[in-house]
Amino acid sequence: LSAFRQREAVSAVGSSNMENDISLKFHQQLFLISENLVTEDVAALKFLCTDLLYLSKLEGVKSAADIFKLLMAQEYLNVEDTFLLAELLYRIKRHSLLDKLGYTKEKVKEHLSEKGRISPYRQMLYELSENITSEMLKEITFLLQDHLPKRWMILSALDLLTLLEKQGLLTKDNVKILEDVCMTVSPDLLETIGFYKKGKGEKFILLKELGVLPSFCPTKMHKRRCVMLSSEEEGTPVDGVFYSKVGLKYMVLEVLTMKSYKMDGPHRGFCLIINNVNFNSSQRKGSCKDAEQLERVFTWLGLDVRTYTDLTSEEIINLMETWQHMPDHKDRNCFICCILSHGKSGAIYGTDYRLVSIRVLTSHFTAKQCPQLAAKPKLFFIQACQGDKIQRPVYVDTDGPTPDLSSMQERVFLSESIPEEADFLLGMATVDGYVSFRHVEEGSWYIQALCSKLQLLVPRGEDILSILTQVNEDVARRDSSSGTKKQMPQPAYTLRRKFIFPIPMAPPPS
């Protein structure tokens, strides 16, 4: 026994030494990278990390090593995951340092759409700063002298952009001040801003006389339509817009994209979470994990979250009626409701095992029933089975009661679960007729994927439908412990515009 304990102790020491060696090597890599970054690189890293780290902390940064420490403290950077640092080096074009993290330029570029954390807004500003020469900076500073503090030293384009942000003159939703100065100083800079605005769903038109290469060159932006107009084509409608006589021929470049819902009010909106855990003969283990994660994420996104646990069918309907008549909706931008329970086709169960139609729940918030939310987006996320076609696997629970094979359940099409009017989105954990899966400790596949993708993609300015597409891909890749059970979420919507969450100032909660 003594010999066994000695071997066990030696093994533990060996394991500890190995972990120490890995940690030491990791910190050596960071030190070497830090030593190879100059002052301009550090300034660029600080700027790119503005949306991820607290400004008060960034202001005290003196070296790249200081930034690395902050990223590690916020768990953005560790031995197992160095992609954010790789992305930052890629963004500032220090590609030669990527090999110290085991990356190449091509490998980082390949994974940016999936793992990238730097928002499109931050990318746009940094790219703009890279194209502003010292002469341009002097001209821009002169144009903005009435907006800048007196005796303020502008050393770089990044300093200027940071100052404009601090003064509230420049935000992700308002880049007009940049457009104005760029139009005067160098119209070619508008191309960078144009790419960003297109990604946000804004529509803009540029007229340029032929013979001069357009800033928004169609060879670079092939998704845009170029239309030739001449004086003979006066009054010709182009995409529903009539143009007056132009005299000379012009290149008309129009970006046809959807507008976004207004999400810049003082209050984002309410988020209800109904978490049914305890039923008469069963318990939905892992559901509390889902509820906690939803609360953290939607609070981070600026919503006022209210959580309700173990509601009967009648209590659920009463709750919907209460919130239907809530006068505070008037000052909110949106409404979100998350329901975690058992379910059947087109319905969810109360803890009394009585079904409540999803259509009944959503119809409480139509423009007629809830005028305060008229023309505002209403989002419902349902984690519940919609049938019993898949049996529960060994280590994964299903969000549906034990199947009753003696009876047939009439199927309800997903489109029938949302009102016919506009501005609704219904995100279902699974397609009709099938079970959805929930890990008894880690939570449900769908809710965990939803929370993960919201934290990853909201800072990048992605709209909700793009995010739900990534959620679909995430869940579709998962399988049960036996490797044979799959799940596919399904959204249905009548949204008229893009729904884009404002990027929070604080880092994601996890």
Side-chain angles (χ1 to χ4, degrees):
L1 181 62
S2 176
F4 174 78
R5 287 176 176 171
Q6 288 179 350
R7 287 196 301 271
E8 193 176 50
V10 171
S11 176
V13 171
S15 176
S16 176
N17 289 337
M18 184 179 298
E19 291 178 0
N20 290 335
D21 289 343
I22 294 174
S23 177
L24 177 61
K25 184 178 179 181
F26 173 61
H27 284 86
Q28 286 175 336
Q29 290 172 325
L30 297 184
F31 176 77
L32 290 174
I33 293 173
S34 177
E35 289 295 292
N36 281 277
L37 295 174
V38 298
T39 303
E40 290 77 9
D41 294 329
V42 175
L45 292 177
K46 285 176 62 175
F47 185 79
L48 290 173
C49 289
T50 300
D51 301 326
L52 302 174
L53 301 171
Y54 294 107
L55 291 177
S56 58
K57 299 286 187 181
L58 279 174
E59 289 175 353
V61 163
K62 302 296 182 184
S63 67
D66 292 338
I67 297 178
F68 300 161
K69 289 177 183 177
L70 293 176
L71 292 174
M72 286 189 286
Q74 293 294 326
E75 298 184 356
Y76 285 120
L77 178 63
N78 54 57
V79 176
E80 290 79 20
D81 185 4
T82 59
F83 187 81
L84 176 58
L85 178 53
E87 180 187 2
L88 290 169
L89 294 175
Y90 174 87
R91 299 286 184 202
I92 66 174
K93 298 179 176 59
R94 294 305 308 270
H95 303 142
S96 61
L97 297 177
L98 290 173
D99 64 338
K100 299 186 184 302
L101 298 173
Y103 282 98
T104 63
K105 175 183 174 182
E106 293 72 25
K107 188 175 179 181
V108 173
K109 187 175 181 179
E110 178 185 351
H111 291 92
L112 275 178
S113 61
E114 178 186 356
K115 296 182 176 181
R117 281 189 174 271
I118 308 303
S119 71
Y121 169 67
R122 194 61 47 190
Q123 292 177 44
M124 179 272 293
L125 293 183
Y126 179 70
E127 182 180 347
L128 205 61
S129 73
E130 288 290 278
N131 290 304
I132 294 177
T133 65
S134 56
E135 287 302 314
M136 289 181 191
L137 182 61
K138 290 178 182 178
E139 293 176 13
I140 293 173
T141 303
F142 176 78
L143 291 172
L144 295 176
Q145 58 182 317
D146 292 338
H147 299 282
L148 303 176
K150 297 185 185 303
R151 302 188 188 88
W152 188 271
M153 183 70 69
I154 303 294
L155 301 176
S156 68
L158 289 180
D159 290 335
L160 175 63
L161 294 173
T162 300
L163 180 58
L164 292 176
E165 284 191 288
K166 285 183 176 180
Q167 293 186 303
L169 298 173
L170 176 62
T171 69
K172 67 180 183 61
D173 295 317
N174 182 11
V175 294
K176 188 177 184 304
I177 195 168
L178 285 184
E179 292 178 293
D180 291 343
V181 295
C182 288
M183 178 64 76
T184 302
V185 174
S186 178
D188 287 341
L189 294 174
L190 290 171
E191 180 177 359
T192 301
I193 302 174
F195 272 113
Y196 171 68
K197 292 183 70 174
K198 178 178 180 293
K200 285 181 80 275
E202 296 185 24
K203 175 179 177 180
F204 53 100
I205 298 173
L206 180 71
L207 297 178
K208 275 228 164 189
E209 185 177 349
L210 289 181
V212 180
L213 181 65
S215 299
F216 297 84
C217 182
T219 58
K220 296 180 182 178
M221 304 178 69
H222 57 278
K223 292 183 179 179
R224 298 179 177 181
R225 278 199 293 279
C226 295
V227 183
M228 298 289 292
L229 294 182
S230 69
S231 57
E232 289 76 26
E233 295 172 310
E234 179 183 356
T236 302
V238 180
D239 293 318
V241 179
F242 282 84
Y243 295 91
S244 60
K245 184 175 180 179
V246 291
L248 296 173
K249 290 185 177 180
Y250 281 83
M251 176 79 74
V252 179
L253 202 56
E254 182 169 9
V255 178
L256 294 176
T257 48
M258 290 188 298
K259 295 181 180 179
S260 300
Y261 284 104
K262 176 181 172 64
M263 290 290 287
D264 57 356
H267 304 289
R268 194 78 61 239
F270 292 104
C271 173
L272 309 186
I273 300 175
I274 299 175
N275 182 26
N276 281 352
V277 180
N278 299 296
F279 289 73
N280 293 334
S281 58
S282 66
Q283 187 180 58
R284 296 182 59 256
K285 295 180 180 179
S287 188
C288 288
K289 177 84 171 180
D290 286 343
E292 291 168 2
Q293 189 73 341
L294 285 169
E295 184 172 352
R296 282 196 295 268
V297 171
F298 282 116
T299 298
W300 170 66
L301 291 173
L303 285 104
D304 187 352
V305 180
R306 309 292 175 85
T307 301
Y308 303 87
T309 305
D310 293 342
L311 301 187
T312 64
S313 56
E314 182 179 359
E315 288 172 336
I316 292 173
I317 293 176
N318 290 340
L319 182 67
M320 294 297 104
E321 292 176 351
T322 298
W323 282 95
Q324 168 189 339
H325 300 292
M326 181 67 66
D328 291 346
H329 288 312
K330 180 181 180 181
D331 300 322
R332 266 67 179 180
N333 297 138
C334 66
F335 174 74
I336 296 177
C337 180
C338 307
I339 301 179
L340 317 173
S341 189
H342 289 310
K344 282 287 188 180
S345 182
I348 56 98
Y349 280 101
T351 53
D352 54 355
Y353 272 113
R354 291 187 177 182
L355 287 170
V356 180
S357 167
I358 295 173
R359 176 59 182 265
V360 169
L361 298 179
T362 57
S363 61
H364 282 85
F365 301 95
T366 62
K368 182 178 180 180
Q369 298 297 326
C370 184
Q372 308 281 23
L373 286 173
K376 299 178 182 179
K378 281 79 66 173
L379 281 58
F380 290 78
F381 297 103
I382 311 293
Q383 168 54 44
C385 286
Q386 289 297 287
D388 49 30
K389 286 190 176 180
I390 296 179
Q391 297 178 353
R392 66 180 73 192
V394 177
Y395 297 109
V396 182
D397 206 359
T398 63
D399 263 335
T402 304
D404 181 3
L405 301 180
S406 63
S407 63
M408 294 294 292
Q409 170 72 29
E410 182 181 355
R411 293 180 60 182
V412 176
F413 290 106
L414 186 58
S415 59
E416 298 176 8
S417 293
I418 60 175
E420 295 176 358
E421 68 172 60
D423 308 311
F424 277 86
L425 179 142
L426 176 60
M428 299 295 298
T430 184
V431 295
D432 187 58
Y434 289 82
V435 298
S436 60
F437 294 108
R438 169 176 37 82
H439 193 284
V440 296
E441 293 179 353
E442 298 175 3
S444 65
W445 295 357
Y446 177 64
I447 296 299
Q448 293 304 312
L450 174 64
C451 292
S452 174
K453 294 304 180 183
L454 284 171
Q455 294 179 85
L456 176 65
L457 300 176
V458 165
R460 291 173 48 202
E462 297 280 1
D463 69 284
I464 191 63
L465 295 182
S466 298
I467 293 173
L468 291 179
T469 300
Q470 296 250 11
V471 171
N472 280 7
E473 181 182 20
D474 186 307
V475 175
R477 287 175 182 237
R478 305 187 186 205
D479 50 34
S480 63
S481 56
S482 63
T484 59
K485 308 297 188 294
K486 306 289 286 185
Q487 179 181 329
M488 174 54 71
Q490 182 183 16
Y493 60 92
T494 57
L495 298 178
R496 295 173 296 116
R497 300 184 175 194
K498 284 190 174 184
F499 181 92
I500 302 174
F501 282 107
I503 300 174
M505 294 298 292
S510 61

